[in-house]
Amino acid sequence: MRKRKIKRDKRSLASQLWKIGLAVLIPLILLDGYLLADSKIFNIKTVDVTLDRISCVSGSDVKKEAGVLGQKFFLINEKNIESKLRDKFFCIKSVKILKIFPDKLNLEVSGREAVAILALLKSLETTPSGLENLASQSASISAQEKIEGEFLV
């Protein structure tokens, strides 16, 4: 009977040590994780911008408008950055964001292609004869481009 009591005491002592060890270890792990995430190691320090088919905005403007310098690496909202850039600059079609651990961000920005060019007309060109002249000039340019294109093929 005495042997059983000793075994129970050893088991209960071992289980109590495990509970105490876990009670101390879990808060230490959580504190370590918090301190590591809150440190300045994970602040974005460099932003590289790659522009593809964009003429309306420069890389420095994109970098400035994205506003990610100094933010935490893990807290960056990629969809928010893309929507902010697309709303600000109409010529941006898409933004691809690449995170490079621990403190670098690459922004690959693609632009829209122009399908039409609008020209401002002077008051003299708005007369019917001026508009016909303008239309015939653009038609001849378009025809010339088609002819050149056929010869290239």
Side-chain angles (χ1 to χ4, degrees), residues 55-68:
S55 60
C56 71
V57 66
S58 67
S60 61
D61 290 340
V62 170
K63 191 184 299 188
K64 180 181 172 185
E65 189 61 35
V68 293

Side-chain angles (χ1 to χ4, degrees), residues 103-115:
D103 61 355
K104 189 174 181 182
L105 202 68
N106 283 350
L107 299 175
E108 295 178 3
V109 183
S110 299
R112 300 178 190 271
E113 290 186 33
V115 292

Side-chain angles (χ1 to χ4, degrees), residues 39-97:
S39 71
K40 294 187 179 193
I41 295 172
F42 299 111
N43 286 356
I44 298 295
K45 293 180 182 87
T46 58
V47 177
D48 292 335
V49 178
T50 306
L51 300 176
D52 182 31
R53 293 178 287 147
I54 293 186
S55 60
C56 71
V57 66
S58 67
S60 61
D61 290 340
V62 170
K63 191 184 299 188
K64 180 181 172 185
E65 189 61 35
V68 293
L69 284 174
Q71 288 188 4
K72 299 291 181 198
F73 182 82
F74 299 110
L75 301 178
I76 289 180
N77 187 347
E78 297 172 6
K79 290 182 180 180
N80 186 21
I81 294 169
E82 181 177 4
S83 66
K84 186 191 312 184
L85 289 174
R86 290 179 69 197
D87 291 343
K88 177 74 176 183
F89 305 108
F90 179 73
C91 62
I92 293 178
K93 183 178 181 180
S94 67
V95 179
K96 185 177 179 183
I97 299 172

